[in-house]
């Protein structure tokens, strides 16, 4: 099997997808989080500022989901097909919520009526919350494994997906995004809203740290297969240690009101959590709870080497390009939000 | 109703709805580049005003296009898992390329287009407009390539058997430039130019009729008319090339286009008609031997008919009629668009363009024509391919997700129907509102004072 820097192509592609989904979680994470917190802002002006803080970037953030979906389809078609068909209802609700969220942002400011704006505010916030929870549910079920048979067909029920552990991961994901979103918003706002957000940052951080601790404990106790990899390769323990240090650093930066560094830390934590899961699963991606022989791994679930090689070339050209113009857009809209005639 | 039928309805419905928006964005993107380019060149305020106005409409269209497009990407996996595993090696790479090379470009720069007027220089803004327009076209490239591979597979081989069978890529460029890619892509892109330019024509015709924003409307009309005329004439060419390609590579589909049953017979070309499956013939208005002539430059050469294919390998008799009707409607609209734009250019040349009320009335309604043509063109292309999802390789009925239950699809189909209906009503309402409001004199608003901040009109 062909290797690059000692890693085979499927493993490389596993890393690429991990990186893309981390990018998605970091970027859409803060705007989903901002959405989840939206109803905490009571005044019309505050809500507009909060919306405009994500206004120029949320659409670009969602691109990472599209790239991630395409990359999974292309690199691991078996995984893509299996997970999407198994978690059918969950993804359908997810897609519909994506639509609701997009139109809420888009339509809210188009009419002046009080009820109109209230309606879209609520729809924006609820869809953001449900999206975060749905992502967490998917993650929780992937961590535990799902009931797939030899034809890659799901044998469980919808209710099985809402098991306690998956629900725990879902709430943790929401907590993470809320904290991440609050920190983003505090960087982009001033005056009254800033004061309000400093409190929200504290509360959401406490919420996240609590959930993080509970979920970690639950994983250690109930999901033993997530730890075997760390035992086999002890230096992998660096990741959980880094994750805990980064969480600690968020609270430290917040205490000093260094919100930019707090934001970098929460972005780092987000990436670390995905890496923790990825390391725990590897080389499996989807675990079959019916029979370990049916696990879908990076090897039996991947595209051919030729296809992976073509796409690694794409990624090598495309990802830096996307990075450049994403940075350009963020740079263009740096600083505190000011409402003007182009605002929502 | 079984899972397959429901899934097919769901896919057709979600994609048909989605396909209203990307062609509009692509066409509008080109018009925007011209408008803003004119603004930079001439410095005239009317061009800036029309650019700003159309960017707002672009954003509305783009937003819905993105929201409904993400659904498409994931529906392959949710409903068509076997298909996804079968083609992932090939189809997946085209989708991934779309995301990274096209969609990211478009969405990234859209923020600058919308919110960047006061933050970047006019040149950088213009550059962003070009990037957004290019991004929307790159999207079309990869999506049409992926779809064309389903129509005329190339650059692959089949590996494995049964549930493990899959198409494996052997030559990337052969896959990209499969026999139908270039023809179909040019046809789709030009169709998009028509959709976008006729929207602009329609809105401006409405303004001129109402004597509103006259100066801006007339200038905008001329820009869009130029695009529309070039595009409608070019569409004649790409349409012919596409039909030629279908004759070569998907003869059963071409036979369905024209309702041609008998392989030993000369093929007529119908202007309109009704297929009769029992008698295996068409009743309607025809040019005898017309199709034979178009394909072989000879009125007497026989053309392969539907009877050349086993029943299970060609569109069903009911499907043939749908394909026949949709195909002919598309062609008829294409001709009408040529007539309309050429007539308008002639009047422009005569200096009487804006004096013909009736013509402006037609233009005000004309926005529907390219939309209908794009929709029915897509139906004939996709239904004509049946019963295959990948032509000659994988049947649609075999492509379905194995674990899917009828009630699951029923649930999602009902959900999409409700949400898309709501979305469409809101879209039309807001579009109408924006059009009624029209372009605004931007200079008086460039520096908003605080009292205006909560003025809804500025939002």
């Amino acid at each position: 099997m062909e290797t690059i820097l000692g890693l085979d192509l499927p493993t490389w592609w596993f890393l690429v997808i991990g990186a893309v989904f981390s990018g998605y979680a970091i970027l859409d994470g803060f705007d989903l989080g901002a959405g989840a917190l939206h109803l905490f802002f009571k005044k019309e002006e505050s809500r507009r500022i909060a919306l405009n803080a994500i206004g120029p970037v949320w659409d670009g953030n969602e691109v990472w989901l599209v790239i991630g979906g395409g990359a999974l389809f292309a690199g691991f078609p078996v995984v893509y097909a299996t997970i999407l068909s198994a978690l059918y209802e969950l993804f359908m609700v997810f897609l519909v919520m994506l639509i609701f969220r997009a139109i809420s942002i888009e339509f809210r400011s188009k009419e002046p009526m009080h009820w109109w704006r209230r309606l879209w505010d609520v729809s924006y916030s609820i869809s953001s919350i449900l999206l975060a929870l749905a992502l967490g549910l998917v993650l929780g079920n992937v961590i535990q494994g799902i009931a797939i048979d030899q034809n890659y067909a799901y044998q469980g029920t919808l209710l099985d997906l809402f098991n306690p552990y998956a629900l725990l991961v879902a709430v943790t994901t929401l907590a993470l995004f809320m904290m991440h979103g609050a920190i983003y918003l505090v960087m982009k706002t001033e005056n009254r809203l800033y004061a309000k957000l400093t409190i929200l940052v504290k509360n959401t951080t406490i919420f996240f740290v609590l959930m993080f601790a509970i979920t970690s404990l639950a994983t250690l106790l109930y999901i033993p297969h997530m730890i075997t990899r760390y035992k086999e390769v002890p230096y992998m323990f660096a990741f959980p240690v880094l994750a805990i240090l980064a969480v600690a650093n968020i609270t430290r930066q917040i205490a000093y009101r260094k919100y930019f560094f707090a934001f970098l830390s929460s972005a780092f934590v987000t990436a670390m959590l995905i890496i923790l899961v990825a390391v725990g699963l590897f080389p499996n991606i989807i675990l079959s709870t019916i029979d370990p022989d049916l696990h879908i791994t990076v090897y039996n679930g991947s595209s051919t080497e030729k296809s992976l090689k073509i796409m690694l070339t794409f990624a090598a050209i495309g990802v830096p390009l996307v990075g450049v113009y994403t940075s350009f857009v963020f740079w263009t809209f740096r600083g505190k939000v000011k409402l003007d005639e182009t605002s929502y | 109703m079984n899972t397959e039928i429901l899934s097919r309805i769901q896919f057709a419905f979600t994609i048909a709805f989605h396909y209203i928006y990307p062609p509009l964005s692509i066409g509008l993107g080109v018009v925007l580049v011209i408008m803003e380019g004119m603004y930079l060149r001439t410095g005239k305020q009317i061009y800036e005003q029309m650019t700003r106005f159309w960017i707002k409409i672009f954003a509305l269209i783009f937003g819905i296009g993105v929201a409904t497009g993400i659904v498409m990407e994931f529906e392959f996996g949710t409903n068509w898992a076997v298909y996804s595993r079968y083609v992932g090696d090939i189809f997946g790479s085209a989708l991934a390329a779309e995301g990274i090379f096209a969609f990211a470009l478009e969405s990234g720069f859209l923020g600058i287009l919308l919110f960047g007027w006061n933050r970047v220089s006019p040149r950088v803004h213009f550059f962003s407009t070009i990037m957004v327009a290019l991004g929307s076209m790159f999207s079309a490239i990869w999506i049409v390539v992926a779809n064309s591979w389903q129509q005329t597979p190339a650059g692959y081989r089949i590996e494995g058997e049964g549930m493990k069978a899959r198409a494996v890529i052997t030559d990337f460029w052969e896959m990209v430039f499969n026999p139908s890619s270039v023809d179909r892509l040019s046809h789709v892109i030009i169709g998009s130019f028509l959709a976008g330019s006729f929207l602009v024509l329609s809105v401006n015709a409405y303004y001129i009729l109402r004597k509103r924003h006259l100066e801006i409307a007339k200038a905008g009309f001329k820009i869009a008319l130029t695009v529309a005329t070039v595009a409608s004439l070019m569409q004649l060419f790409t349409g012919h090339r596409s039909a030629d390609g279908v004759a070569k590579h998907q003869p059963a589909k071409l036979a369905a286009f024209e309702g041609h049953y008998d392989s030993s017979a000369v093929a007529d070309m119908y202007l309109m008609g009704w297929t009769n499956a029992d008698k295996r013939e068409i009743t309607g208005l025809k040019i005898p031997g017309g199709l034979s002539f178009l394909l072989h430059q000879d009125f007497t050469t026989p053309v392969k008919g539907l009877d050349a294919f086993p029943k299970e390998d060609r569109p069903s008799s009911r499907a043939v009629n749908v394909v026949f009707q949709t195909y002919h409607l598309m062609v008829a609209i294409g001709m009408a668009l040529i007539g309309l734009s050429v007539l308008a250019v002639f009047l422009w040349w005569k200096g009487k363009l804006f004096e013909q009320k009736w013509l402006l009335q037609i233009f005000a309604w004309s926005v529907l024509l390219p939309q209908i043509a794009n929709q029915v063109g897509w139906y004939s292309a996709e239904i004509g391919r049946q019963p295959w999802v990948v032509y000659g390789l994988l049947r649609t009925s075999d492509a379905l997700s194995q674990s899917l239950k009828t009630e699951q699809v029923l649930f999602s189909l009902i959900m999409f129907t409700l949400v898309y209906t709501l979305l469409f009503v809101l879209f039309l309402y807001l579009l109408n509102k924006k059009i009624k409001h029209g372009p605004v004199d931007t200079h008086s608003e460039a520096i908003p004072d605080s009292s205006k901040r909560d003025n809804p009109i500025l939002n």
Side-chain angles (χ1 to χ4, degrees), chain B residues 129-284:
Chain B
T129 308
I130 295 175
M131 288 301 117
V132 169
L134 275 180
S136 66
M137 272 186 247
F138 291 164
S139 269
I141 293 178
W142 290 107
I143 296 303
V144 175
V145 161
N147 182 273
S148 295
W149 185 85
Q150 281 178 273
Q151 307 278 352
T152 54
Y156 71 99
R157 72 164 183 274
I158 302 298
E159 240 176 32
E161 272 177 41
M163 286 298 287
K164 305 268 180 213
R166 59 173 180 169
V168 165
I169 200 159
T170 54
D171 186 330
F172 177 71
W173 294 113
E174 218 178 286
M175 181 276 280
V176 171
F177 292 103
N178 66 69
S180 65
S181 283
V182 177
D183 292 338
R184 300 179 81 244
L185 179 64
S186 49
H187 199 55
V188 164
I189 293 271
I190 306 263
S192 307
F193 290 177
L194 288 169
S197 57
F198 271 90
L199 173 66
V200 179
L201 284 170
S202 155
V203 172
N204 285 324
Y206 165 82
Y207 287 151
I208 296 166
L209 283 168
R210 292 287 169 101
K211 302 199 170 30
R212 293 175 53 198
H213 320 291
L214 272 177
E215 206 190 343
I216 297 178
K218 285 181 178 175
F221 192 93
K222 286 176 181 167
I223 290 174
L225 182 59
T226 314
V227 176
T229 311
V230 175
S232 63
L233 289 170
M234 278 168 74
Q235 198 64 317
L236 197 61
F237 177 70
T238 65
H240 176 67
R241 295 249 348 204
S242 296
D244 234 11
V246 172
K248 260 186 219 112
H249 304 286
Q250 295 174 290
K253 191 203 268 189
L254 186 87
F257 278 174
E258 289 293 352
H260 181 56
Y261 286 93
D262 188 355
S263 290
S264 60
V266 168
D268 306 328
M269 188 158 67
Y270 283 85
L271 301 176
M272 57 179 77
W274 192 259
T275 66
N276 186 326
D278 301 326
K279 288 196 207 150
R280 298 156 45 92
E281 61 176 30
I282 312 269
T283 354

Side-chain angles (χ1 to χ4, degrees), chain A residues 13 16-17 20 63-75 307-319 321-322 325, chain B residues 73 76 87-107 134-147 169 172-173 175-176:
Chain A
W13 198 249
V16 168
I17 288 176
V20 172
V63 166
W64 290 81
L65 177 67
V66 176
I67 298 178
L72 190 64
F73 192 172
S307 184
L308 292 175
K309 223 165 138 182
I310 292 165
M311 288 184 299
L312 278 173
T313 320
F314 284 180
I317 302 167
V319 172
L321 272 177
V322 179
Y325 42 76
Chain B
E73 186 187 17
F76 295 116
V87 300
D89 208 61
I90 292 162
F91 196 85
S93 56
L95 272 191
E98 194 257 350
I100 202 154
F101 291 128
F103 190 41
L105 192 66
E106 212 176 351
S107 303
L134 275 180
S136 66
M137 272 186 247
F138 291 164
S139 269
I141 293 178
W142 290 107
I143 296 303
V144 175
V145 161
N147 182 273
I169 200 159
F172 177 71
W173 294 113
M175 181 276 280
V176 171

Side-chain angles (χ1 to χ4, degrees), chain A residues 66 70 80 88 111 303-304, chain B residues 73 89 164 170 412 429 453 459:
Chain A
V66 176
Y80 167 87
Y88 189 87
E111 291 285 350
S303 286
T304 56
Chain B
E73 186 187 17
D89 208 61
K164 305 268 180 213
T170 54
S412 55
Y429 172 74
R453 231 169 229 184
N459 296 340

Side-chain angles (χ1 to χ4, degrees), chain A residues 232-291:
Chain A
E232 283 167 22
V233 192
Y235 67 80
M236 289 288 176
F237 273 110
F239 291 118
V241 172
L242 276 175
I244 291 165
L245 286 177
V247 171
N249 190 46
I250 297 176
T251 54
R252 200 180 122 229
Q253 299 295 351
I254 287 170
Y256 293 135
R257 303 209 158 193
K258 290 196 167 156
Y259 292 115
F260 178 67
F261 291 105
F263 182 73
L264 289 185
S265 294
S266 68
F268 185 76
V269 167
T270 309
M272 270 304 137
L273 295 180
I274 290 176
I275 291 173
L276 281 183
V277 174
V279 169
L281 288 172
F282 187 85
N284 300 306
I285 306 180
I286 307 285
L287 303 153
S288 167
T289 52
I290 292 177
D291 181 352

Side-chain angles (χ1 to χ4, degrees), chain B residues 353-374:
Chain B
L353 177 57
F354 300 117
E355 292 162 22
Q356 321 294 327
K357 273 218 153 129
W358 60 273
L359 187 67
L360 289 170
Q361 294 279 11
I362 295 177
F363 268 110
W365 285 99
S366 68
V367 58
L368 296 174
L369 293 175
Q371 281 296 340
I372 296 170
N374 284 339

